[in-house]
Structures are given as structure tokens and as C-alpha cells.
Amino acid sequence: MGLGDILLSGSQIADIRPHIDFSYPGTRVIDAGGRRIIPGLIDQHVHVTGGGGESGFASRVPELTLSTAIRAGVTTLVGLLGTDSRTRSVENLFAKTKALNEEGLTAYCLTGAYEYPSPTLTGSVGNDIVFVNECIGVKLAISDHRSSNVTKEELIRLASEARIAGLISKKPGFVHLHTGVDKAKLDMLVDILQTTPIPAKQFRPTHLGKCVDAAAQFARLGGYIDFTSGERPSQSAEKLRKAMDKAPFDRITLSSDSNGSMPKWGPNWELVGITAASMTTLYQTILALHREQGVPFEKALCPVTETVAKALELYPKKGCLQPGSDADLLILGDSLEIQWVIAKGRVMMEESKVIVKGMYED
């Protein structure tokens, strides 16, 4: 956008111009001369209450802290459950989502978990989406040895319920699909799109780094495809670049899987190791996409800003810098490192120091 001034008022961007001559009592002026300003990052796959559990109770990953998201430059996120919906509950998920909103982020959540029928708050997926403000869709696992192995008919019914609920409540009402490495991959989704009138946007498969070709096919049918930044940003960036060569660019998103477990499985699906995903890999992958894969920086940002905002039906409130958008923005340093974080008009990190933390953080 070139050189300019940005005027924030309350939680929104009030104006952007080459020069804004504005004076009002209490106004704070931040001199960002010579630095880049980008929209706050959107992370649509976060285990806000912690994930894990595949290696016993001690392997439960701790819940997300506010400062973790701030350091990662994430100002908007979507919380969800994973493998464990026994010791982690939908009730806890919804409460944590509300807490993150109170602390200054913009947080949404998904009902359901890996299993089917979906665990819910109100007794039905549709009612959760319609009546819980923060709930915008449902989570399910497919093509995974930990999934419920849903049938085509069951997935159709779930997608239809979520779609109707989304229409009623003016939300995206999608089915977010943890996708494992089973040989079926996305075959069931492609079959549903070819044999039913359900729109492709109702299905949001994620963790697609090991099935780029199948993901590209789904994207060419009109669906959004989500990749995971994981523990090796360079590898994730390489997979993103391959997807960009095969699929429509405006259908590709990236998320972190933060605070979820990252189990390592042996040849017979025995657990041989386990780690936890970090939110900082989200921006690290974007930088690797730019520096190592040669994608222009403004284009490399789209999977975690503009594209994902459109997928979540939040654009232009989120994912861009323009008058009327939420005042979520990052100020970058000379090496493109995140130095300032502003969320809904509130300075959360200043000169690389987090100044707003969660209630029980040191």
C-alpha cells in the first residue's frame, strides 16, 4: 500500500491515508516510520484447552496462554478439540474461547471433536452453531486410525446440519476435518461433491501436507484446503508452494495446530514419540515461504490473513488493513520480525515485549 498513516479509533481502523493530521486529547502516536505493517494473523486450528493424551494422562498438552498467541502475532483464532474429548470437554472449550475474547483476542470455536456422533454443548451440532455466538462450525476426523470411520451418509447428514445452522445464524457452518494419512485421504469428500448438491465450502480438510495432490483436486472443485505449519516450517513452506503450483491460490490456508499433540507412529500404529505443536511456526512458515520458496511477502501472507478471513466469512472485518476493518495489526522490524502487536485497537506487544498477559500468567 506504500507509505501512509493509519488512524485507529476504538477497536477499528478509522482511516488510512498518505498523511493524517489528527489531534485529539488522549491520542497516542506510534512512530512506525521505515517499518512494515501487516494485518494480525488468523490461526483457524488451535487446541486452546490443550490437546494430546495419546500417551497417557501426563501427555495432555497445557492450554493456550494469551501471551503465546501475542508473541506469535495471532490476533484471531479458532479453538477446537482433538483426539481427547473425554478429559477435554466442549464446555471447557467454549469457556476458554470466551476467556480469550475477554483477554483481548478475537476467538471462535468449533463444536465436536474427532469422534462421531459429535460431542456438543446443547445436545445437537445445529443448536451449538445457532445459539452459541462463538461457535461457527463442527470438528470431525477422517482417514485416521483414531477417527470414528464415519460413512458417507453420516458425513452428509453432519454437513447438512451444520450448513442449515450456519444459514440460520449467518455463520459459515462448516465441517472442519482432521485428515489422517489413510489411503482414502479425501476420496469421500470428492464423492460427496460429485453426487450431492452440498457446496464444497462446507468441508474444510486440514493437515494436508502428506496428500498435496488430493488436496489440490479438492481445491479445484471449489473447496478450501488447510495446511499445518508443524514443527519444521521449511518443510511446511515447501508443501505450501507445491500446493500453490497445483491448486487455486485463493483456496489455500495455513494453521498451526498449536497446543495439539504431534504423535509419531510406528509401522503398526504404535506410538513411538510425542511432541506438541507451537503457534510460532505459523509466521515462521510464512517467512520460509517468502525467503526460501521465493513467494512475494504480500502474497505469502494471504493463507494466514486475507484467504482464511474469507474462508471464515470474516473479511473485510479481518484479514486486511482498510477503514472499517478491526484494528488488528502487526508492526514488523527490519528482518520482518514481529515487534508490535495490536489487537482490536489495544497494544498487546510493544518493541518485542508482551505487555498484556492472561490473568494468571507471571
Side-chain angles (χ1 to χ4, degrees):
M1 298 173 65
L3 298 176
D5 292 345
I6 302 176
L7 176 64
L8 310 183
S9 178
S11 63
Q12 291 189 320
I13 296 175
D15 202 0
I16 301 178
R17 297 183 188 179
H19 176 70
I20 296 176
D21 187 9
F22 183 86
S23 178
Y24 191 82
T27 298
R28 180 182 183 184
V29 177
I30 299 173
D31 184 1
R35 308 191 204 187
R36 295 194 190 194
I37 299 182
I38 64 173
L41 309 184
I42 302 171
D43 193 344
Q44 68 169 343
H45 189 112
V46 183
H47 293 273
V48 294
T49 59
E54 291 98 336
S55 188
F57 296 115
S59 68
R60 292 170 14 118
V61 183
E63 69 176 36
L64 179 78
T65 61
L66 177 65
S67 61
T68 296
I70 297 305
R71 289 190 185 94
V74 171
T75 56
T76 301
L77 59 80
V78 180
L80 37 69
L81 295 178
T83 311
D84 179 11
S85 57
R86 298 292 189 271
T87 72
R88 315 279 190 177
S89 68
V90 174
E91 290 86 350
N92 188 21
L93 170 66
F94 285 14
K96 177 64 175 180
T97 302
K98 291 177 181 292
L100 290 169
N101 277 298
E102 289 180 5
E103 290 178 333
L105 298 183
T106 300
Y108 301 94
C109 60
L110 305 177
T111 191
Y114 269 34
E115 67 192 83
Y116 182 86
S118 303
T120 64
L121 179 70
T122 64
S124 83
V125 168
N127 282 345
D128 280 8
I129 295 173
V130 170
F131 293 112
V132 180
N133 288 340
E134 297 84 0
C135 184
I136 59 175
V138 60
K139 166 80 177 288
L140 184 69
I142 60 170
S143 299
D144 193 286
H145 62 102
R146 296 162 293 173
S147 72
S148 294
N149 294 294
V150 296
T151 65
K152 174 183 174 181
E153 289 70 26
E154 289 170 334
L155 185 52
I156 289 172
R157 284 196 293 270
L158 181 63
S160 298
E161 181 179 4
R163 173 171 170 75
I164 292 170
L167 293 172
I168 292 171
S169 57
K170 204 173 182 180
K171 297 176 181 178
F174 56 85
V175 183
H176 186 78
L177 294 159
H178 164 100
T179 307
V181 296
D182 183 81
K183 60 183 179 181
K185 298 184 176 70
L186 304 179
D187 291 349
M188 186 184 297
L189 298 187
V190 173
D191 185 20
I192 291 173
L193 296 186
Q194 293 175 339
T195 58
T196 76
I198 298 177
K201 70 175 185 176
Q202 298 307 131
F203 301 104
R204 306 292 174 84
T206 187
H207 309 323
L208 299 178
K210 293 185 178 180
C211 55
V212 174
D213 290 338
Q217 179 189 12
F218 181 75
R220 290 193 295 269
L221 292 173
Y224 285 100
I225 52 175
D226 188 59
F227 292 81
T228 305
S229 54
E231 57 185 4
R232 296 181 178 87
S234 292
Q235 291 183 8
S236 301
E238 183 179 0
K239 293 171 182 177
L240 264 180
R241 180 61 198 234
K242 288 180 179 178
M244 291 175 179
D245 292 338
K246 298 180 179 183
F249 175 76
D250 63 354
R251 315 308 286 180
I252 300 171
T253 62
L254 178 71
S255 58
S256 73
D257 200 15
S258 174
N259 290 67
S261 65
M262 300 181 70
K264 303 184 191 310
W265 303 102
N268 296 312
W269 298 114
E270 74 275 12
L271 189 71
V272 297
I274 189 169
T275 58
S278 169
M279 189 174 281
T280 56
T281 60
L282 191 71
Y283 187 59
Q284 290 170 0
T285 299
I286 295 304
L287 289 180
L289 186 62
H290 169 53
R291 292 169 172 165
E292 300 171 21
Q293 299 299 320
V295 178
F297 186 57
E298 63 273 17
K299 186 176 181 180
L301 284 169
C302 288
V304 293
T305 55
E306 180 179 345
T307 303
V308 66
K310 289 179 177 177
L312 297 174
E313 298 181 8
L314 298 174
Y315 188 87
K317 181 180 179 182
K318 303 287 187 181
C320 64
L321 299 177
Q322 66 182 47
S325 299
D326 281 357
D328 298 338
L329 49 91
L330 312 179
I331 303 176
L332 309 179
D334 293 339
S335 299
L336 301 182
E337 76 278 12
I338 300 171
Q339 293 186 333
W340 291 65
V341 177
I342 300 175
K344 292 188 288 190
R346 183 184 184 188
V347 176
M348 311 292 274
M349 185 166 83
E350 182 174 335
E351 298 295 358
S352 304
K353 181 180 179 181
V354 175
I355 60 174
V356 179
K357 295 184 178 181
M359 181 171 289
Y360 296 108
E361 292 189 72
D362 294 332

